[in-house]
Amino acid sequence: MGALGVVYGDIGTSPLYAFKEAFNPAHSLGFNPANIYGVLSLIFWGLTIIVTVKYVGLALRADNEGEGGILALMALVMRRYAAPSRGRVLAVALGLIGAAMFYGDSIITPAISVLSAIEGTAVATPVLQDAVIPITAVILVGLFLVQKRGTALVGAYFGPIMMLWFAVLGVLGLTHIVIHPSVLRALNPWWGVDMFLREPRLALFLLGAVFLTLTGGEALYADMGHFGRLPIRRAWLGVVMPGLLLNYFGQGALVLANPAAGKNPFFYMAPSWALWPLVVLATMATVIASQAVISGAYSMTTQAIKLGYLPRMRVLFTNERNQGQIYVPFINWTMLLFVLALVMAFRSSDNLAAAYGIAVNITMVTTTVFLWMVAPQRWGWSTRRANLVFVPLALVEVLFLASNSLKVDHGGWFPLVFGAAVYTLLSTWKRGRSLLKRQLQEHALNLKDFVHSLSTYPPTRVEGTAIYLTPNAETVPHALLHNLKHNKVLHERVVFLSAQAADVPHVGPDQGIDLRPMEEGIYLLHVRYGFKDEPDIQKLLKDCERLSGLEFHLMETSFFLARQTIVPSKIPGMALWREVLFSWMSRNAQEASDYFRIPPNRVVELGTQIEI
């Protein structure tokens, strides 16, 4: 039930617009039996090959400690390669492209889903045609406004609502299939092949519309960590796929009998008395679909932060018992602005359909490449077996991508431009952090040499504990050097805390905490945490006390942080505009004290300027 409510919102609302888009007047596709059977055949076999075989059958087996998604899979692939190797560089580039395109998909999904549902009011009452855009905007604003309250309250209703939704999809479709059972002939793959033989160029265009039925497939893999592979598989095979196929074939049966219904076949399937209830149910389903991709964008952002591809951002936890329920204000309001802009600019689901698909298509191709890379190591497959399975899958997805690329001039440019902007941010932050680390290391003192020097030139020691956060456990933190230079004192107990995100979702305290005593009351505390774990300094110190016996009294402990101000320069590294961008991202990053949940009254910040 939970998987139905979260995982399948996106793909479950595709019947609102996908079949209709296939017969868009711009395609000049007539409502004759051969064309209808061809479109339905392509939909059936697309869902079977891409969603059922690839995602449900294969991708769910490629979990990273139980987690899925493009970044989790990228981390899994990166284990195969050493740091400077070409394979690792390629894996990172592909992973960032996939993640960037996921954001593009997350922007379009709420707009097209809610807009397509509200367009049903114009079918029920044509006088409301001009009110479609304002109603859609109000619903979307309300959806993003309630995000800060969390999904725990409404989440309890998501599963039953989606169960009702898929039941209604199936019943609506079945009533028309019974009247025109000949539509089931489309199960024969020859009808899809026949379209390419008769009109190859038109068939290639149609693949872009057919792909709209697959756009939620990536969510199956991305949400694996929330529910596990078995509930997701059961929900797909037992509820979702039957409901979707019955509805698509029902729409085909309807337009066979009444071609005029092709302008909005989903809502014309319902009897007149059921139109308004169906509009309400469709709106609820599209809100759930939007919620799923919004939550996915939050999760993707936190993973990118942990893996070092985005600066720290404010992350709020909306459920004390479920750390997976989070709220990222910056992402929330940015998404709302872009979603509203899309609705105002495209003004109909037909126009948005032209922009939809290409982003998630690129992510799907990336996932297939990654699965091909991990299959020999993860499942013990031979290279030949991996090629036999994944090369045909990749060819099918590339064919879909070729079709989606034809829509670039009609709106498909937006997710590409948006994704390119996100990719630039991700890669610039990662590259900038590497350059910053290099600059700091060039002027850093070796930690062991520094500790030895304390016995020769002992500074004045004061009571208490000082914890210095440092990205490098082998060098002296700049904050300590500044403190010694200006205050000329050192605490009686000093802890150098180095935190590093691992390429696994979760790391327990027993494996993630390493406390090593050095000389002169100095301790080196190295912490590893998973990219799904939330840093909490107070919990960390309690775990450290339990594991090592070293007590920490928070009111006697000061945390010293170094604040670096990035100064763009002509030093070889990045283009000047990227250095300016990195500097801006650094200035707007969340405070380290907030990110690590350090009590504000225990923090001392010391700043320095660094050229990169």
Side-chain angles (χ1 to χ4, degrees):
M1 194 64 73
L4 280 176
V6 175
V7 177
Y8 293 106
D10 188 359
I11 199 170
T13 53
S14 296
L16 286 166
Y17 49 81
F19 187 83
K20 178 180 68 171
E21 175 60 19
F23 291 92
N24 190 311
H27 296 158
S28 302
L29 187 67
F31 289 103
N32 60 64
N35 290 339
I36 293 172
Y37 294 161
V39 170
L40 290 175
S41 182
L42 291 173
I43 290 175
F44 173 78
W45 289 104
L47 287 170
T48 301
I49 294 171
I50 301 300
V51 181
T52 306
V53 174
K54 175 189 168 181
Y55 283 102
V56 176
L58 296 172
L60 291 181
R61 297 175 58 195
D63 65 293
N64 188 339
E65 303 289 333
E67 294 292 337
I70 191 69
L71 287 181
L73 185 56
M74 180 190 75
L76 198 63
V77 172
M78 286 170 61
R79 298 181 193 176
R80 293 186 54 188
Y81 304 102
S85 66
R86 291 183 178 179
R88 190 180 182 91
V89 173
L90 176 63
V92 170
L94 288 176
L96 294 187
I97 290 172
M101 292 303 150
F102 176 86
Y103 282 106
D105 178 55
S106 299
I107 293 295
I108 299 178
T109 296
I112 190 173
S113 298
V114 177
L115 188 56
S116 61
I118 302 304
E119 284 173 347
T121 61
V123 176
T125 307
V127 73
L128 291 178
Q129 179 68 49
D130 294 336
V132 169
I133 300 299
I135 294 174
T136 300
V138 169
I139 291 175
L140 288 170
V141 170
L143 173 64
F144 282 92
L145 281 175
V146 301
Q147 291 301 312
K148 61 183 178 183
R149 299 184 181 275
T151 58
L153 182 62
V154 294
Y157 301 98
F158 282 8
I161 290 172
M162 292 307 294
M163 176 67 83
L164 176 62
W165 170 253
F166 286 115
V168 170
L169 289 183
V171 171
L172 286 176
L174 191 59
T175 56
H176 291 275
I177 294 173
V178 170
I179 299 173
H180 298 282
S182 62
V183 75
L184 295 177
R185 297 170 65 187
L187 293 173
N188 186 341
W190 171 252
W191 290 104
V193 175
D194 180 62
M195 289 205 70
F196 279 91
L197 295 178
R198 287 189 290 112
E199 298 184 78
R201 181 172 176 81
L202 178 59
L204 187 62
F205 268 103
L206 282 178
L207 281 181
V210 171
F211 187 80
L212 297 177
T213 67
L214 316 175
T215 50
E218 191 70 22
L220 302 179
Y221 183 48
D223 287 320
M224 179 169 52
H226 296 287
F227 304 102
R229 63 170 66 95
L230 190 57
I232 292 176
R233 282 177 175 164
R234 286 177 173 171
W236 172 255
L237 296 174
V239 179
V240 181
M241 188 176 183
L244 290 175
L245 289 177
L246 285 172
N247 195 267
Y248 286 127
F249 277 73
Q251 291 186 46
L254 173 65
V255 297
L256 270 175
N258 180 17
K263 59 184 178 181
N264 203 327
F266 177 82
F267 286 103
Y268 278 111
M269 291 175 72
S272 58
W273 61 266
L275 265 178
W276 279 108
L278 185 59
V279 169
V280 173
L281 180 60
T283 302
M284 296 170 70
T286 54
V287 167
I288 293 172
S290 303
Q291 179 65 58
V293 296
I294 293 169
S295 300
Y298 295 160
S299 298
M300 180 75 75
T301 300
T302 55
Q303 290 186 24
I305 292 171
K306 303 289 178 49
L307 293 172
Y309 295 103
L310 279 177
R312 293 184 300 268
M313 297 182 192
R314 190 181 178 209
V315 178
L316 303 179
F317 294 84
T318 58
N319 190 323
E320 293 182 359
R321 291 175 294 179
N322 187 349
Q323 288 194 352
Q325 294 186 13
I326 58 177
Y327 169 64
V328 186
F330 177 79
I331 297 297
N332 187 71
W333 303 122
T334 302
M335 287 182 68
L336 174 60
L337 290 175
F338 277 103
V339 168
L340 290 177
L342 281 175
V343 171
M344 301 302 176
F346 287 86
R347 305 193 70 79
S348 76
S349 61
D350 289 341
N351 294 334
L352 268 172
Y356 198 32
I358 190 168
V360 71
N361 198 169
I362 294 173
T363 305
M364 282 185 172
V365 173
T366 304
T367 299
T368 300
V369 174
F370 280 168
L371 290 173
W372 173 78
M373 295 172 78
V374 303
Q377 180 184 18
R378 187 76 174 181
W379 306 324
W381 286 15
S382 65
T383 302
R384 181 173 178 271
R385 184 180 180 184
N387 290 340
L388 288 174
V389 172
F390 291 110
V391 170
L393 281 174
L395 291 176
V396 171
E397 290 176 341
V398 168
L399 192 60
F400 276 118
L401 185 60
S403 176
N404 282 315
S405 66
L406 298 176
K407 302 190 294 186
V408 170
D409 292 342
H410 304 284
W413 56 268
F414 173 78
L416 294 179
V417 171
F418 189 86
V422 174
Y423 178 84
T424 301
L425 293 174
L426 295 171
S427 59
T428 297
W429 182 256
K430 187 67 173 180
R431 177 60 176 161
R433 293 297 298 175
S434 299
L435 294 174
L436 177 61
K437 182 179 179 180
R438 186 182 69 183
Q439 287 294 101
L440 291 174
Q441 287 179 338
E442 288 181 357
H443 302 89
L445 295 177
N446 182 274
L447 182 58
K448 291 183 178 179
D449 295 340
F450 172 77
V451 173
H452 288 316
S453 71
L454 293 179
S455 59
T456 307
Y457 305 100
T460 302
R461 307 296 286 260
V462 296
E463 294 182 355
T465 300
I467 297 181
Y468 291 87
L469 271 66
T470 175
N472 189 348
E474 298 179 355
T475 59
V476 183
H478 281 249
L480 184 143
L481 295 177
H482 281 278
N483 188 39
L484 274 178
K485 178 180 179 181
H486 296 286
N487 298 323
K488 299 179 174 57
V489 295
L490 195 66
H491 286 73
E492 61 180 357
R493 186 169 65 175
V494 176
V495 178
F496 297 125
L497 172 58
S498 173
Q500 181 181 10
D503 59 358
V504 295
H506 303 285
V507 177
D510 295 344
Q511 296 78 34
I513 295 178
D514 180 20
L515 180 67
R516 284 178 280 171
M518 304 178 76
E519 303 172 11
E520 303 295 329
I522 308 292
Y523 295 85
L524 180 59
L525 177 57
H526 183 66
V527 178
R528 290 176 68 252
Y529 57 90
F531 56 76
K532 296 274 287 186
D533 296 328
E534 297 301 325
D536 187 334
I537 201 74
Q538 297 187 56
K539 181 179 181 300
L540 169 66
L541 296 183
K542 289 180 181 178
D543 289 335
C544 195
E545 288 182 17
R546 176 175 59 82
L547 295 172
S548 67
L550 187 66
E551 294 186 3
F552 291 91
H553 300 287
L554 195 61
M555 298 310 296
E556 298 176 4
T557 302
S558 298
F559 296 85
F560 288 82
L561 308 179
R563 174 185 285 274
Q564 290 107 14
T565 300
I566 309 302
V567 180
S569 69
K570 295 183 179 180
I571 298 175
M574 288 192 298
L576 186 60
W577 67 268
R578 292 185 71 191
E579 292 181 1
V580 172
L581 176 61
F582 176 68
S583 177
W584 174 81
M585 294 174 72
S586 181
R587 288 197 306 271
N588 289 276
Q590 182 190 18
E591 301 286 349
S593 56
D594 293 339
Y595 182 74
F596 288 99
R597 299 186 184 181
I598 303 174
N601 60 344
R602 307 308 307 166
V603 175
V604 179
E605 287 193 350
L606 299 169
T608 181
Q609 290 189 343
I610 300 177
E611 288 187 339
I612 61 171

